[in-house]
Amino acid sequence: MNISVLGTGYVGLVSGLCLSTVGHNVICVDNDKSKVEKLNSGIPTIHEYGLPGLLKENLGKNFFVTSDLNDAIAKSELTIVAVGTPFDGKKIDLKYIEQASKDIAEILKTIGRYHVVVVKSTVVPGTTTGIVKETIEKYSNLKAGQDFGLGMNPEFLREGVAINDFNNPDRIVVGGIDDKSISFISNIYQKYTQDGVPLVACNCQTAEMIKYTSNSFFAMLISYANEIDVVCNSLKEVNSIDVLNGLILDKRIKDPSLSSPPEMAGYLKAGAGFGGSCFPKDVKALASFCSYHGISTPILDSILETNKNRHKVIIDILSRYYSDLSNLKIGVLGLSFKAETDDVRESKSIELIKDISGLVKRFNVFDPQAMNEAQKVLVEQKSKINFYEDSEGVIKDSDVIILMTAWKDFINLPKYLAGRDNLVIDTRAMFNPDMFEKYEGIGYASPNKNH
Ligand code: NAD
């Protein structure tokens, strides 16, 4: 199929590239000309494992990047919309979706043939059959279902393993306004469904809701683990790592015939809270959508409440060790919201730096991939931050080391810290407490606390 993808960010770029490898001709479109230029020079615009090779292999063959939406739609039968859907502080911000719908409509008006529009962005229930359908109909004078098809196909890829996730989907959800749209959209994924990947065909609102249900569920597991950690910390010598490991061994979670724990176990772990471009904004968007419609959602609300101040456990630890923080040089390892990505959106690391920058002397920071992105969002704090080229430098020049992201690169931390007595605050419980002179791992009972 000839496919155009509107929005060439984490989702649009990875989806477009992967679809080009299963036989489709894909044109990715972005209105950010610098992204288009970079990609057309073969330079990836995001850090994602496997992306440089995939781009090199497919660019100019059956994968193209442009800022000319007109040309892309004219050359395709189906357009995937993968623009951002941020949270504006009160509700989901659909301005990019609305603009994309308008842009598509203006072009559909002129091409004079059936074309299918698929929303891949995460949008609150009712968006595809509401704002998207109404905007396209209004600006094209065409009729959905008759002149153009419309559907919703949520994306479940995770940054850091996005290409692997896209190539090995666990399910494909296709919502559509009619059977023709569903069948058109399902055809994109024929290669996967033929290999046995389940296809969930449904209406657009169900598809929209599946995505939110999924993200809220995993965010809920994280907040649950963090709340259990708070309880464990108030008890004598109980650590949430042991407690949650005890839970995971339940045969309803871990199949006893398998040696490794289920992937879900990774979310049942205490830490500094969840960040990123999806969980926070999606739970907030669903909760605010429900509140607007008078639907009570105490569970969704508490996921956010628990997460909101979670990084404050780090401040509590610092305050336990130091009565005065004003002379401290804080080393922060990891700035992206999780390992294997350069994405710093709603990163807890960034939140922590912003929160305590008025309290401490300096920050020495390093991230293997997110330095550029971090510099863009830490403008106000810039005068207090030294950006390092490696973790060794950070360790050498800091009093406290806070490990925020579980990058593999940080595995050498015990070696670099040998013979030093810096306080290590490990928010990912990457290490054992006995590997350091002074260690506080979130999830471990603190040796330095009066219970
Ligand atoms: P992103 O911000 O990385 O990318 C969005 C891109 O759209 C940007 O490059 C922007 O320039 C472009 N854009 C915006 N308006 C445009 C327009 N009118 N014409 C052309 N280009 C336009 O966003 P993302 O992380 O890829 O997320 C996209 C959507 O997918 C969101 O709704 C998100 O919630 C959802 N999602 C994201 C992930 C993830 O891990 N990032 C996973 C699943 C779903």
Side-chain angles (χ1 to χ4, degrees):
M1 199 184 289
N2 297 310
I3 299 170
S4 45
V5 181
L6 183 50
T8 312
Y10 287 86
V11 166
L13 179 58
V14 171
S15 308
L17 263 173
C18 291
L19 288 172
S20 78
T21 65
V22 293
H24 301 297
N25 295 313
V26 179
I27 308 178
C28 272
V29 187
D30 208 286
N31 55 7
D32 180 339
K33 291 208 166 84
S34 65
K35 270 190 191 179
V36 173
E37 252 172 54
K38 233 174 146 182
L39 288 166
N40 274 327
S41 315
I43 305 166
T45 42
I46 53 171
H47 173 76
E48 196 58 58
Y49 181 75
L51 192 70
L54 216 52
L55 183 62
K56 201 169 158 200
E57 261 168 51
N58 297 286
L59 186 67
K61 291 178 190 147
N62 55 350
F63 178 78
F64 302 88
V65 190
T66 180
S67 47
D68 185 350
L69 182 63
N70 228 312
D71 186 53
I73 293 189
K75 287 182 177 151
S76 59
E77 292 110 54
L78 178 145
T79 300
I80 295 173
V81 177
V83 297
T85 49
F87 189 73
D88 71 6
K90 286 194 176 135
K91 58 172 178 16
I92 188 170
D93 183 350
L94 292 170
K95 66 171 178 275
Y96 301 111
I97 289 284
E98 200 172 351
Q99 185 60 47
S101 308
K102 201 172 159 211
D103 294 347
I104 292 169
E106 302 285 1
I107 299 162
L108 289 190
K109 189 164 65 179
T110 64
I111 62 169
R113 63 175 157 76
Y114 185 80
H115 188 94
V116 177
V117 178
V118 193
V119 177
K120 196 174 250 310
S121 302
T122 305
V123 291
V124 290
T127 305
T128 306
T129 48
I131 202 168
V132 176
K133 177 171 162 283
E134 285 159 19
T135 308
I136 297 179
E137 287 187 332
K138 180 175 166 194
Y139 290 93
S140 68
N141 285 324
L142 300 173
K143 185 107 195 75
Q146 184 185 299
D147 307 312
F148 67 94
L150 183 62
M152 203 282 150
N153 165 226
E155 182 49 58
F156 299 99
L157 63 76
R158 296 159 303 163
E159 288 176 23
V161 283
I163 291 171
N164 189 49
D165 275 355
F166 196 94
N167 287 337
N168 301 286
D170 30 32
R171 79 287 210 196
I172 286 158
V173 175
V174 176
I177 54 162
D178 52 20
D179 289 348
K180 191 173 172 187
S181 303
I182 291 178
S183 133
F184 226 97
I185 301 163
S186 305
N187 274 342
I188 316 176
Y189 298 105
Q190 213 174 38
K191 143 91 178 56
Y192 310 97
T193 49
Q194 269 170 357
D195 288 348
V197 176
L199 175 81
V200 181
C202 52
N203 61 36
C204 296
Q205 292 218 54
T206 305
E208 290 162 340
M209 196 55 204
I210 289 173
K211 175 66 189 174
Y212 279 104
T213 304
S214 169
N215 273 5
S216 308
F217 175 72
F218 291 110
M220 179 181 71
L221 294 185
I222 298 172
S223 279
Y224 178 68
N226 282 332
E227 194 164 297
I228 292 297
D229 186 63
V230 172
V231 178
C232 293
N233 265 322
S234 71
L235 304 171
K236 201 170 163 45
E237 290 170 9
V238 178
N239 84 51
S240 71
I241 290 184
D242 292 340
V243 169
L244 290 163
N245 281 342
L247 162 72
I248 288 157
L249 288 171
D250 187 308
K251 63 175 173 289
R252 288 167 293 183
I253 299 176
K254 181 188 174 295
D255 180 343
S257 68
L258 300 176
S259 56
S260 51
E263 200 141 349
M264 184 177 149
Y267 296 89
L268 283 166
K269 204 172 164 194
F274 57 81
S277 60
C278 292
F279 285 5
K281 83 165 173 70
D282 290 348
V283 184
K284 282 187 252 181
L286 183 58
S288 83
F289 169 85
C290 292
S291 155
Y292 179 78
H293 290 282
I295 306 160
S296 161
T297 54
I299 294 181
L300 292 180
D301 300 341
S302 67
I303 296 172
L304 295 167
E305 196 51 40
T306 302
N307 194 54
K308 196 162 74 188
N309 290 323
R310 182 59 193 171
H311 67 283
K312 298 234 156 73
V313 287
I314 300 163
I315 306 173
D316 291 346
I317 296 171
L318 285 173
S319 309
R320 256 193 283 127
Y321 278 79
Y322 305 95
S323 53
D324 175 17
L325 308 184
S326 63
N327 276 321
L328 281 184
K329 285 173 275 170
I330 306 275
V332 178
L333 294 179
L335 299 166
S336 55
F337 81 92
K338 66 170 186 178
E340 309 304 328
T341 181
D342 57 348
D343 197 344
V344 298
R345 288 177 281 185
E346 301 224 23
S347 155
K348 284 286 174 188
S349 194
I350 304 287
E351 213 170 301
L352 174 77
I353 293 173
K354 287 184 174 175
D355 244 30
I356 63 170
S357 72
L359 304 177
V360 301
K361 187 169 184 187
R362 282 212 75 72
F363 293 102
N364 299 318
V365 306
F366 170 67
D367 186 287
Q369 293 293 338
M371 297 299 264
N372 287 342
E373 294 306 309
Q375 288 186 33
K376 287 183 207 161
V377 296
L378 290 169
V379 179
E380 271 178 43
Q381 295 74 20
K382 208 170 112 190
S383 61
K384 273 210 167 179
I385 305 176
N386 293 327
F387 291 89
Y388 281 70
E389 284 180 3
D390 54 36
S391 47
E392 247 182 300
V394 169
I395 290 164
K396 195 162 60 66
D397 295 338
S398 308
D399 305 306
V400 178
I401 307 297
I402 308 181
L403 184 78
M404 290 298 291
T405 313
W407 281 97
K408 284 189 213 89
D409 306 51
F410 300 149
I411 210 79
N412 284 327
L413 210 60
K415 193 173 96 192
Y416 297 147
L417 275 157
R420 301 179 63 99
D421 67 349
N422 307 59
L423 168 63
V424 176
I425 303 178
D426 178 2
T427 69
R428 300 282 175 169
M430 253 177 101
F431 299 101
N432 288 321
D434 54 11
M435 293 168 104
F436 302 95
E437 192 76 16
K438 266 193 249 160
Y439 176 90
E440 288 284 340
I442 294 185
Y444 292 110
S446 169
N448 187 32
K449 192 176 169 195
N450 295 324
H451 291 279

